[in-house]
Amino acid sequence: MTKNLFYLFFCLLGITSYQSKDLKVNNLKPVFCDTNAPTNVGMSNITLTSAVVSWNYDVNTPNYVVRFRPQGISAAWSTVAVSNISSVSLTGLTPCNSYEVQVAKICTVQGTWSEIIVFSTYLNYCASASVDSGVAHISNVTMTPSGGLPQMVSNSGTSNYTDYRPDPSRKVQLLVGSTGNSISVTKTWSGTPGAVSVRAWIDFNGDGIFQASEMMLSSNSNSLSTVASMFNVPVSAFQTGQNCGVAMRVIISETYTSPVCGTFTYGEVEDYGVYLLTSGNLAVNEANKNKEGILYPNPASDVLNISGILGNEFEIYNTAGQKVSEGKISENKVSLHHLEKGVYFIQIKDRGNTTRLKFIKQ
């Protein structure tokens, strides 16, 4: 009898142990596909014709779909399906255009779309400025294109950095493949002239970088009031046409080795918009479009003034396409005191029309 009781006891113990192990297996959290909208959607590596959209990757949801289209019109969405990655490059975009993009997860059904992210295919160049422009500054830049295109003359005063790209009167027009173009830069000193170097670049290939091969004016340190150079526009130069442009950067500095990006001690930096054309002058409608709105000063510190743009509401986006501010325009002014230093786009709407311009907060 005693043996039978022990036998029964161990049998029951084994069954309980087995059920306990089985229960632990069944209580493991099941893997599921999350249909919530992806988080931390943002833009990077924006060029004139491409951009990269990225998001937080979910290991339980490897499949995603990205859709994008030009902003402000009821165009069909372009879609890209991807798996096991957290970013995708959007290519074949129209230069100097605004786009909206969304990302969703794919399970057995499509999940929720993320919030719309807006970005623009403008080139964003590295920041550059002097610390002190009181010793010497740029007082004139003159560009004389070949092929009958108009001369650009820019007279200016003292500043550490000035962005003239939004100014329609200072647009540079050059023919792709042209020869015999000339640029001159005049230096002005506050006291006795000293040795100052001058360099200028044009982003001919439209990649947003001022490369050594794109330097078209190079003058070592000297006390000459004006330096000049002749240059050619490569046949392979990016053809911006009449819709947008690349940039020209002019730097005077106390040393020839001052960086094209970043800060240096004495001198000044000026940026200009450059249109690389295949033929002819800028169309009249493009010139008119440039006159529609000007932001000043640009760069701006605390207040951005708006001229020539209708509308009393604004939205501000960073270069990643994220909205960072919005509100009412008061007396043609927008406060920037809450923004960090960097490049931004301000969007102003009026009766269905949208104006979008770039500015720098310094």
Side-chain angles (χ1 to χ4, degrees), residues 280-308:
N281 295 322
L282 282 176
V284 174
N285 61 350
E286 173 62 18
N288 290 335
K289 184 181 75 173
N290 287 330
K291 295 177 181 178
E292 286 180 1
I294 296 177
L295 306 176
Y296 66 93
N298 195 359
S301 297
D302 297 315
V303 176
L304 186 67
N305 296 279
I306 301 172
S307 175

Side-chain angles (χ1 to χ4, degrees), residues 81-101:
V82 296
S83 297
N84 300 310
I85 56 176
S86 60
S87 66
V88 65
S89 178
L90 310 180
T91 59
L93 306 179
T94 302
C96 296
N97 197 19
S98 295
Y99 287 86
E100 52 189 20
V101 62

Side-chain angles (χ1 to χ4, degrees), residues 56-361:
N56 283 346
Y57 181 75
D58 182 352
V59 294
N60 295 325
T61 314
N63 301 317
Y64 297 85
V65 61
V66 178
R67 69 178 185 180
F68 63 98
R69 68 181 179 183
Q71 185 193 28
I73 61 175
S74 299
W77 292 94
S78 297
T79 59
V80 180
V82 296
S83 297
N84 300 310
I85 56 176
S86 60
S87 66
V88 65
S89 178
L90 310 180
T91 59
L93 306 179
T94 302
C96 296
N97 197 19
S98 295
Y99 287 86
E100 52 189 20
V101 62
Q102 290 179 294
V103 184
K105 298 177 180 179
I106 298 294
C107 298
T108 54
V109 295
Q110 180 184 295
T112 305
W113 287 108
S114 63
E115 291 186 3
I116 289 178
I117 298 294
V118 177
F119 70 96
S120 297
T121 50
Y122 291 89
L123 289 172
N124 298 305
Y125 292 90
C126 63
S128 179
S130 71
V131 176
D132 184 354
S133 60
V135 175
H137 70 275
I138 302 169
S139 58
N140 175 271
V141 174
T142 298
M143 176 71 75
T144 305
S146 61
L149 293 177
Q151 185 183 62
M152 190 284 295
V153 179
S154 173
N155 297 307
S156 60
T158 303
S159 70
N160 302 110
Y161 168 77
T162 305
D163 186 1
Y164 288 120
R165 285 175 293 174
D167 188 342
S169 67
R170 302 181 200 248
K171 294 291 186 185
V172 175
Q173 302 176 50
L174 296 169
L175 290 174
V176 173
S178 61
T179 60
N181 305 285
S182 68
I183 180 175
S184 66
V185 177
T186 300
K187 303 168 281 185
T188 297
W189 289 263
S190 59
T192 302
V196 178
S197 69
V198 181
R199 291 169 296 159
W201 300 258
I202 293 178
D203 181 21
F204 287 121
N205 64 5
D207 65 353
I209 302 172
F210 297 111
Q211 299 172 348
S213 60
E214 296 174 326
M215 187 185 298
M216 14 74 71
L217 171 60
S218 174
S219 172
N220 289 322
S221 296
N222 60 63
S223 58
L224 297 174
S225 61
T226 301
V227 296
S229 176
M230 304 287 289
F231 68 94
N232 303 330
V233 178
V235 177
S236 60
F238 182 81
Q239 299 176 13
T240 64
Q242 299 173 354
N243 295 321
C244 65
V246 295
M248 174 175 72
R249 174 161 292 177
V250 182
I251 294 180
I252 68 167
S253 60
E254 79 281 11
T255 61
Y256 184 80
T257 57
S258 295
V260 66
C261 300
T263 58
F264 52 92
T265 306
Y266 300 111
E268 185 182 6
V269 181
E270 293 182 349
D271 283 348
Y272 294 84
V274 180
Y275 287 86
L276 300 174
L277 311 174
T278 55
S279 63
N281 295 322
L282 282 176
V284 174
N285 61 350
E286 173 62 18
N288 290 335
K289 184 181 75 173
N290 287 330
K291 295 177 181 178
E292 286 180 1
I294 296 177
L295 306 176
Y296 66 93
N298 195 359
S301 297
D302 297 315
V303 176
L304 186 67
N305 296 279
I306 301 172
S307 175
I309 307 176
L310 297 176
N312 59 5
E313 295 184 352
F314 72 90
E315 295 176 344
I316 295 178
Y317 295 85
N318 60 22
T319 54
Q322 299 166 324
K323 185 192 296 185
V324 295
S325 180
E326 62 182 339
K328 299 285 187 179
I329 300 172
S330 177
E331 298 181 347
N332 296 322
K333 300 178 185 294
V334 172
S335 175
L336 306 178
H337 70 277
H338 58 291
L339 296 180
E340 296 181 355
K341 293 181 180 181
V343 179
Y344 297 90
F345 295 91
I346 186 168
Q347 186 168 286
I348 301 169
K349 294 182 179 180
D350 175 65
R351 298 178 183 178
N353 296 319
T354 300
T355 301
R356 187 178 176 89
L357 295 172
K358 181 167 69 174
F359 70 92
I360 297 174
K361 166 67 184 293

Side-chain angles (χ1 to χ4, degrees), residues 28-33 60:
L28 287 175
K29 185 178 179 180
V31 174
F32 65 95
C33 186
N60 295 325

Side-chain angles (χ1 to χ4, degrees), residues 3-13:
K3 290 183 179 179
N4 290 338
L5 289 175
F6 274 111
Y7 179 79
L8 178 61
F9 172 78
F10 283 113
C11 285
L12 291 174
L13 181 63

